[in-house]
Amino acid sequence: MTSTDRRRGSILFLALLLCLASLKGLQAQPNQPFVESVDVQVVEVDVVVTDRKGRPVKGLAREDFELYVDGQPVEIANFYESAILLEQPASRRNRERPVVRSGDIPGVANENALTVVFYLDDPNIYPSHRTRLLRRLENAVEPWRSMDASFMLARFVNRLEVLVPPTPDLNAILEGAASVPKGSPRAIQNGEGARRFAIRSLIDSYEFCRQAPYCRPCEDNWGELLSLARQYADNQATNTAIAADGLADLVTTLAGVRGKKTVVYMTNGLPQRPGISVLDYLGSELCRDERPSAPSETMAEIVQYDESRRFNRISAHANANRVTFYGLDAAGVRSASTDISLDNPRLAPSFQNVSLMAMNAQSGLHLLAHETGGKALINANDLSILLADMTGQLSASYSLGFVAEQRQLGQVRQISVQLAPGADKGRRIAYRRTYRDKSLDERLAERLLSVAYLGNPENPLEAAVEFGDTKLLEEKIHELTVGVNVPAESVLTLPGKDGAPPSATTQIRLWMVAVEDENGARTAVRQKAITVGGAAGVAAKDGNYRVEVAMNLPEGDYQVAVGIRDETTGLTSLIREPVSVPPE
């Protein structure tokens, strides 16, 4: 039996069920349509359980957990213990051994799949740290060969770059890492070099004033000192915002990937309060004795530089899309020694100030990890130790699913998970703290964007996409005709009002987006509802419904992603095709 025959049989069976279920309703209310779309959303909450020493706890049951939404208990409808480790892992010597995964089995839903993303925040990783970690990557990820997962490699430099899309082939990740472009020189400017320059500027200004007659550095020169500290804080806040935007883009790209996504976010820091160490140095060390109000004045400035809201928005975005962050501090074991290269070591920042800088750099990693159910991977130079910590966390993972009955689209809901009495025993749990109800339109758009950037199309409707000629509209802007063909036998037509014949109209929904190959820029996601069949809809020709849509694009190479959904059955096809818009 061919796939078309199986699909035709399933569609006819669905039609029969719908007709039988609706006969009574048709007799009672002959003027009412009998097809009603029911969108049931099961929310999966991934929970990690460890003991007092951080070791994974396995073998727990559904009864060992209690789940709350906005403070109210909810029933755990689905429960399973995540088995990410294969019983017979592929060794380094046997890398070609085929591994059967649930996502490879026809008809098996892939909502329980795991995707591990290795993400390089290049503008914020020192080149030396980056090189050290990438050189150790092959040994560090060797245990991942035992994971039932897909892997992905991406980096951020001005925009998100997907270097290796999701694949079960870990070797592809290692090859991609070996050929990854060099890091950004901005990392040196954005990191400790910028802080050292700011400290030196403060000392130079302080010393210059003190050498001038009748000049009190922390009184007469306070405005300039404060301006220098603010300049550093502003620059660091801008860098942090750019890094946060990169994370948001990554989450958006992963939103349509089925199952849970784990992001290993490698960076030299994500400060929750940009500039805090320089402002603290100015108020609590450099000018503390000469200006009694300096500590309180700089503290007022520090309060203004707070990225907590931004990070919480990213966390909520990640939680809505089942993305967990494991923030990896590329600096490893941070030294708290003072800077002896300063011209005046007497004025060098104290041990406490250097420690404050280090804690602030890691604070954003802690926040993102805590809110999304992950962990901050810090204070170790050995990448194997850090990734083993993450793998241990994942091996102690459970999924608690509940049905969102009282749906409030767009609203962030609070989640709380507790171990039942008798199961706690001093154990610790980590889980995503929020979720957000998303509309069907939003979920479909997310899946389309993921296909556009990452590939992995799916086409149960057996639709086809083809491109017509381009037409110049204005300078460098062309109109591209996109033709979509959907086999008439792939969509289900049902009787309409008053028992209209089976040739009555039905609807399919189209939505599409174009992503430029060179810089990753994308168009807005466009949607269009199309009536097909019957006298009022698009007629079938040669067994296909054909719809043409015009897209306006600048010249360049693109990936065009098209989604087609049969609104009656919910069957959805997602297709990606390359196209070039030549100059004219």
Side-chain angles (χ1 to χ4, degrees):
M1 181 181 291
T2 66
S3 60
T4 302
D5 294 333
R6 287 195 299 270
R7 184 174 297 104
R8 185 185 296 114
S10 62
I11 289 176
L12 292 175
F13 179 67
L14 174 61
L16 178 61
L17 288 179
L18 289 172
C19 291
L20 291 175
S22 61
L23 285 177
K24 183 175 181 179
L26 282 174
Q27 294 173 357
Q29 300 179 8
N31 294 325
Q32 297 297 322
F34 63 85
V35 177
E36 180 179 359
S37 176
V38 179
D39 183 20
V40 178
Q41 182 181 7
V42 177
V43 180
E44 299 287 348
V45 182
D46 301 306
V47 181
V48 170
V49 184
T50 54
D51 63 16
R52 290 185 178 92
K53 296 183 178 180
R55 296 172 299 195
V57 176
K58 302 180 181 180
L60 297 179
R62 183 195 309 251
E63 295 74 21
D64 294 322
F65 295 91
E66 297 176 351
L67 180 60
Y68 301 85
V69 176
D70 291 338
Q72 300 299 316
V74 296
E75 180 183 359
I76 300 175
N78 297 338
F79 176 85
Y80 68 89
E81 181 175 356
S82 179
I84 67 165
L85 300 180
L86 300 170
E87 293 183 1
Q88 295 179 344
S91 66
R92 188 183 304 182
R93 297 180 180 178
N94 188 22
R95 293 179 177 178
E96 302 302 323
R97 184 181 68 82
V99 176
V100 178
R101 303 170 189 273
S102 60
D104 300 330
I105 303 174
V108 176
N110 209 23
E111 294 299 334
N112 299 333
L114 170 65
T115 301
V116 179
V117 183
F118 198 76
Y119 175 70
L120 305 170
D121 184 11
D122 273 348
N124 295 298
I125 305 176
Y126 288 179
S128 59
H129 296 164
R130 184 181 187 270
T131 300
R132 167 175 54 83
L133 292 174
L134 289 181
R135 284 178 177 173
R136 300 179 180 180
L137 183 61
E138 182 172 3
N139 289 332
V141 301
E142 190 64 26
W144 288 6
R145 296 187 184 280
S146 300
M147 293 174 63
D148 184 11
S150 293
F151 307 96
M152 172 178 157
L153 177 65
R155 74 168 188 158
F156 181 80
V157 178
N158 300 322
R159 69 177 181 89
L160 176 66
E161 296 180 20
V162 178
L163 302 173
V164 181
T167 173
D169 183 8
L170 189 56
N171 291 333
I173 303 299
L174 296 176
E175 292 168 3
S179 59
V180 67
K182 292 182 179 181
S184 171
R186 285 167 43 194
I188 299 176
Q189 302 170 0
N190 296 345
E192 181 58 26
R195 177 179 178 274
R196 186 177 294 113
F197 178 81
I199 295 292
R200 286 177 175 172
S201 297
L202 289 175
I203 294 175
D204 288 346
S205 179
Y206 176 90
E207 293 280 80
F208 181 81
C209 177
R210 194 173 65 171
Q211 293 172 7
Y214 310 110
C215 183
R216 298 170 299 174
C218 296
E219 294 292 340
D220 303 326
N221 202 37
W222 177 251
E224 180 177 342
L225 294 174
L226 192 57
S227 178
L228 291 171
R230 284 173 177 165
Q231 183 178 355
Y232 169 76
D234 287 336
N235 290 338
Q236 196 175 42
T238 299
N239 295 334
T240 301
I242 293 173
D245 288 344
L247 288 174
D249 284 347
L250 176 65
V251 171
T252 299
T253 302
L254 294 172
V257 177
R258 296 192 183 277
K260 59 181 179 180
K261 286 79 64 175
T262 293
V263 175
V264 182
Y265 171 40
M266 194 170 84
T267 179
N268 265 97
L270 192 68
Q272 190 171 343
R273 291 189 180 274
I276 184 175
S277 64
V278 172
L279 285 164
D280 177 77
Y281 168 76
L282 172 61
S284 300
E285 296 187 12
L286 186 63
C287 288
R288 178 188 57 193
D289 297 333
E290 301 178 28
R291 185 181 180 91
S293 62
S296 60
E297 291 180 75
T298 53
M299 179 56 67
E301 296 288 334
I302 290 172
V303 171
Q304 302 300 316
Y305 294 96
D306 188 353
E307 295 296 318
S308 299
R309 284 190 176 183
R310 189 187 304 274
F311 296 160
N312 283 328
R313 287 195 297 269
I314 295 174
S315 298
H317 186 35
N319 286 337
N321 295 293
R322 209 177 172 190
V323 175
T324 301
F325 284 115
Y326 285 83
L328 191 155
D329 183 6
V333 179
R334 291 177 176 266
S335 172
S337 60
T338 59
D339 187 358
I340 61 175
S341 67
L342 294 172
D343 294 334
N344 189 344
R346 182 182 61 84
L347 297 178
S350 66
F351 170 87
Q352 290 79 4
N353 183 265
V354 177
S355 298
L356 177 64
M357 181 272 297
M359 288 188 295
N360 187 47
Q362 297 173 347
S363 60
L365 304 181
H366 282 287
L367 190 153
L368 291 179
H370 178 267
E371 290 297 314
T372 61
K375 187 175 182 180
L377 309 176
I378 61 175
N379 301 332
N381 292 328
D382 191 338
L383 184 61
S384 297
I385 294 176
L386 296 174
L387 295 188
D389 195 5
M390 183 206 74
T391 306
Q393 289 269 114
L394 292 176
S395 67
S397 177
Y398 301 82
S399 182
L400 317 180
F402 69 94
V403 177
E405 296 179 350
Q406 298 179 350
R407 302 190 59 185
Q408 301 177 25
L409 295 181
Q411 182 174 336
V412 176
R413 313 289 296 277
Q414 301 298 316
I415 292 176
S416 176
V417 181
Q418 299 177 11
L419 289 170
D424 48 2
K425 301 177 181 178
R427 294 165 176 166
R428 300 173 181 176
I429 57 176
Y431 54 91
R432 61 166 166 157
R433 303 287 166 157
T434 61
Y435 85 95
R436 178 172 58 84
D437 283 325
K438 295 187 290 186
S439 66
L440 176 63
D441 286 347
E442 184 179 357
R443 298 201 301 273
L444 292 176
E446 289 172 347
R447 291 176 61 190
L448 185 71
L449 286 173
S450 290
V451 168
Y453 281 103
L454 306 178
N456 295 323
E458 50 190 87
N459 192 10
L461 294 174
E462 298 185 351
V465 174
E466 57 187 36
F467 302 106
D469 296 331
T470 60
K471 180 175 65 175
L472 183 64
L473 297 179
E474 54 186 89
E475 185 178 2
K476 296 185 178 181
I477 301 297
H478 302 256
E479 181 182 87
L480 172 67
T481 300
V482 182
V484 181
N485 295 303
V486 183
E489 64 180 9
S490 295
V491 298
L492 181 63
T493 57
L494 294 173
K497 295 180 180 180
D498 300 322
S503 60
T505 60
T506 189
Q507 279 197 334
I508 61 175
R509 187 191 319 202
L510 297 181
W511 68 107
M512 61 182 60
V513 67
V515 177
E516 191 174 4
D517 288 342
E518 183 176 355
N519 57 25
R522 67 171 181 255
T523 65
V525 177
R526 298 178 55 189
Q527 288 198 54
K528 186 176 184 179
I530 309 293
T531 301
V532 299
V538 175
K541 184 177 180 180
D542 297 329
N544 292 295
Y545 297 118
R546 179 177 175 83
V547 180
E548 293 187 349
V549 180
M551 300 185 76
N552 297 338
L553 298 171
E555 58 188 55
D557 297 325
Y558 295 87
Q559 298 292 331
V560 175
V562 179
I564 309 103
R565 173 183 164 90
D566 179 354
E567 295 288 66
T568 304
T569 64
L571 280 177
T572 302
S573 285
L574 297 164
I575 305 171
R576 186 178 78 165
E577 294 289 347
V579 66
S580 294
V581 179
E584 292 185 6

